């Protein structure tokens, strides 16, 4: 296995890629990882790699390139030499914040996936291409969503780019060994609560944290809907385990919390941790649409926008493929680490970084 080399995209700007890299090095102690890094991020990448344990840094190599450029931004010779060496690809690169121009998201999410597939076709020794997608790529319909489902989103342009990327992946499955991972909305580490940006359920915490104590917190109209989130450390662990399973080729896997809480239960738990009265009353049924029309909402990160979208529909995700690999191994219950997420948001509130206002939930 010492001659096995893995190409990783998305490092170091993508937090998922930053988490995947050390797990790849740990799970294959003789393997090497080649990180495709845009030139503007090389210094940051070197700084991050310098903190790796002894031995891991030596097994990581940076190749300057860009996933969205033709031939990954490499010369013809570099491209072919890299293709000869790579046996596995972990494609994590993606624009995940809704404030980004649509053209940028289209170029990275769709164009980048196209270029990765073109590279995979040149890698004659390729054993697996792991495409790290998202549940939001499956569309914005309600009801049960199975792992083989893929419906174009109607209301979220960024999610549409993730859908188009998966559609390219699906068409390439007949000729390439591909595994697709669809984690639920990512939240902070279950051990530390930390996430690089305040997004997803962290936005909900921020809003409740900033709510005036004399103003009642209103319940969402569809409080019985499930809030499907997973901590980033679990998503990576589950994804790596699935990717190392031989019979996972050609399949798609939902990485979810099988015991997800409802919105009502989540908001009540957050309010209790913040020392505030539980939510009461009800928000108008058109709450989500009203929120999405607020000025500046397009600047929210993708996971924050996804949370608001999630508040407007009732959906359940099937994970029968993932169950076959993960068995009884379950996602940590949200209540077991929610206090850590709250503490993280409270720490971030004391910094100079802007924290979303309660006005987003009014």
């Amino acid at each position: 296995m010492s001659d096995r080399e893995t190409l990783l995209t998305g490092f170091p700007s993508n937090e998922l890629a930053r988490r995947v890299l050390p797990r790849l090095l740990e799970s294959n102690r003789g393997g090497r990882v080649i990180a495709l890094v845009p030139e503007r991020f090389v210094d940051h990448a070197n700084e991050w790699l310098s903190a790796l344990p002894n031995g891991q840094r030596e097994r990581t190599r940076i190749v300057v390139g860009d996933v969205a450029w033709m031939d990954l931004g490499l010369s013809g010779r570099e491209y072919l030499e890299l293709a000869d060496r790579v046996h596995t690809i972990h494609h994590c690169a993606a624009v995940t914040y809704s404030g980004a121009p649509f053209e940028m998201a289209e170029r990275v999410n769709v164009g980048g996936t196209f270029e990765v597939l073109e590279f995979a076709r040149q890698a004659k020794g390729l054993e697996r291409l792991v495409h790290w997608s998202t549940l939001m790529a499956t569309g914005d319909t309600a009801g049960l969503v199975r792992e083989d489902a893929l419906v174009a989103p109607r209301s979220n342009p960024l999610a549409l780019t993730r859908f188009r990327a998966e559609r390219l992946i699906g068409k390439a499955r007949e000729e390439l060994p591909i595994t697709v991972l669809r984690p639920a909305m990512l939240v902070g580490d279950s051990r530390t609560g930390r996430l690089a940006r305040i997004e997803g359920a962290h936005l909900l915490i921020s809003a409740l944290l900033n709510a005036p104590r004399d103003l009642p917190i209103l319940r969402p109209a569809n409080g019985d809907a499930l809030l499907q989130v997973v901590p980033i450390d679990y998503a990576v662990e589950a994804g790596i385990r699935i990717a190392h399973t031989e019979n996972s080729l050609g399949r798609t896997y939902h990485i979810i919390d099988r015991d997800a809480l409802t919105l009502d239960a989540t908001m009540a738990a957050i309010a209790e941790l913040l020392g505030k009265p539980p939510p009461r009353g009800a928000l108008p049924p058109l709450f989500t649409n009203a929120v999405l029309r607020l000025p500046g909402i397009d600047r929210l990160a993708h996971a924050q926008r996804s949370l608001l979208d999630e508040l407007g529909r009732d959906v359940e995700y099937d994970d029968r493929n993932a169950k076959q690999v993960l068995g009884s191994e379950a996602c940590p219950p949200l209540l077991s680490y929610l206090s850590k997420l709250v503490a993280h948001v409270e720490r971030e509130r004391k910094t100079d970084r802007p924290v979303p206002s309660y006005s987003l939930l009014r």
Side-chain angles (χ1 to χ4, degrees):
M1 295 291 290
S2 61
D3 60 339
R4 293 296 188 249
E5 298 202 7
T6 297
L7 177 67
L8 174 67
T9 71
F11 180 83
S13 57
N14 184 296
E15 184 170 7
L16 182 68
R18 294 197 301 270
R19 298 267 185 159
V20 166
L21 189 149
R23 284 299 295 120
L24 291 174
L25 295 169
E26 292 167 7
S27 60
N28 183 1
R29 297 187 182 277
R32 296 178 177 273
V33 175
I34 301 170
L36 184 71
V37 179
E39 186 172 6
R40 64 188 182 279
F41 293 136
V42 168
D43 289 343
H44 183 199
N46 280 318
E47 180 181 359
W48 196 95
L49 292 177
S50 68
L52 288 176
N54 292 335
Q56 290 191 5
R57 176 62 183 92
E58 290 74 14
R59 291 191 287 122
T60 307
R61 181 164 67 95
I62 290 175
V63 170
V64 179
D66 195 309
V67 70
W69 291 357
M70 182 180 295
D71 292 343
L72 306 179
L74 306 176
S75 69
R77 179 178 178 180
E78 289 175 318
Y79 188 83
L80 294 176
E81 287 181 351
L82 187 61
D84 285 342
R85 301 177 67 89
V86 168
H87 291 77
T88 305
I89 301 170
H90 276 261
H91 180 38
C92 298
V95 171
T96 61
Y97 54 99
S98 65
F102 178 78
E103 293 77 10
M104 178 190 296
E106 183 82 2
R107 181 171 60 85
V108 175
N109 297 350
V110 184
T113 299
F114 175 85
E115 292 298 334
V116 167
L117 288 171
E118 287 295 291
F119 175 81
R121 293 183 178 99
Q122 294 294 324
K124 304 307 180 183
L126 185 69
E127 297 173 356
R128 185 184 303 268
L129 164 58
V130 182
H131 179 66
W132 290 81
S133 186
T134 170
L135 286 183
M136 299 311 295
T138 61
D140 48 15
T141 57
L144 182 66
V145 176
R146 302 192 182 279
E147 288 163 305
D148 58 356
L150 189 61
V151 179
R154 297 187 300 264
S155 61
N156 190 327
L158 182 60
L160 181 61
T161 66
R162 306 301 296 272
F163 159 81
R164 288 175 177 168
E166 262 211 54
R167 188 169 58 181
L168 289 175
I169 290 288
K171 292 178 180 178
R173 273 178 160 161
E174 294 182 0
E175 55 179 316
L176 294 172
I178 295 175
T179 299
V180 175
L181 304 174
R182 290 180 188 158
M185 189 186 309
L186 297 178
V187 294
D189 191 293
S190 64
R191 298 157 298 189
T192 66
R194 186 184 181 282
L195 193 68
R197 289 198 302 265
I198 297 295
E199 60 185 25
H202 295 251
L203 171 64
L204 187 60
I205 296 169
S206 297
L208 298 183
L209 177 64
N210 287 343
R213 291 190 176 275
D214 57 348
L215 183 65
I217 298 173
L218 298 178
R219 296 173 55 250
N222 60 333
D224 292 335
L226 298 178
L227 180 61
Q228 187 57 255
V229 298
V230 295
I232 192 168
D233 53 311
Y234 172 75
V236 171
E237 290 296 324
I240 294 296
R241 181 172 172 182
I242 291 169
H244 286 178
T245 302
E246 184 176 351
N247 63 1
S248 64
L249 291 175
R251 294 186 177 186
T252 299
Y253 295 83
H254 286 171
I255 302 175
I256 63 172
D257 180 358
R258 297 171 194 162
D259 297 311
L261 296 179
T262 64
L263 289 171
D264 272 350
T266 302
M267 292 183 69
I270 295 172
E272 182 178 3
L273 287 168
L274 295 174
K276 297 187 177 184
R280 63 185 185 183
L283 288 169
L286 297 180
F287 160 73
T288 302
N289 289 334
V291 169
L292 295 179
R293 289 196 297 268
L294 289 176
I297 198 70
D298 287 337
R299 292 195 298 271
L300 291 175
H302 169 51
Q304 295 171 340
R305 175 66 177 262
S306 298
L307 175 65
L308 297 176
D309 287 342
E310 193 73 12
L311 289 172
R313 62 193 180 97
D314 190 0
V315 63
E316 179 183 356
Y317 295 97
D318 173 61
D319 71 331
R320 64 186 63 189
N321 287 346
K323 282 181 180 178
Q324 292 179 1
V325 178
L326 302 176
S328 60
E329 179 184 336
C331 174
L334 178 58
L335 291 181
S336 71
Y337 61 89
L338 183 60
S339 62
K340 297 171 184 176
L341 301 185
V342 171
H344 170 68
V345 173
E346 289 182 311
R347 287 193 300 270
E348 291 293 292
R349 188 188 190 198
K350 297 176 182 177
T351 70
D352 294 332
R353 300 176 188 175
V355 177
S357 165
Y358 176 66
S359 63
L360 291 179
L361 289 180
R362 292 173 65 180

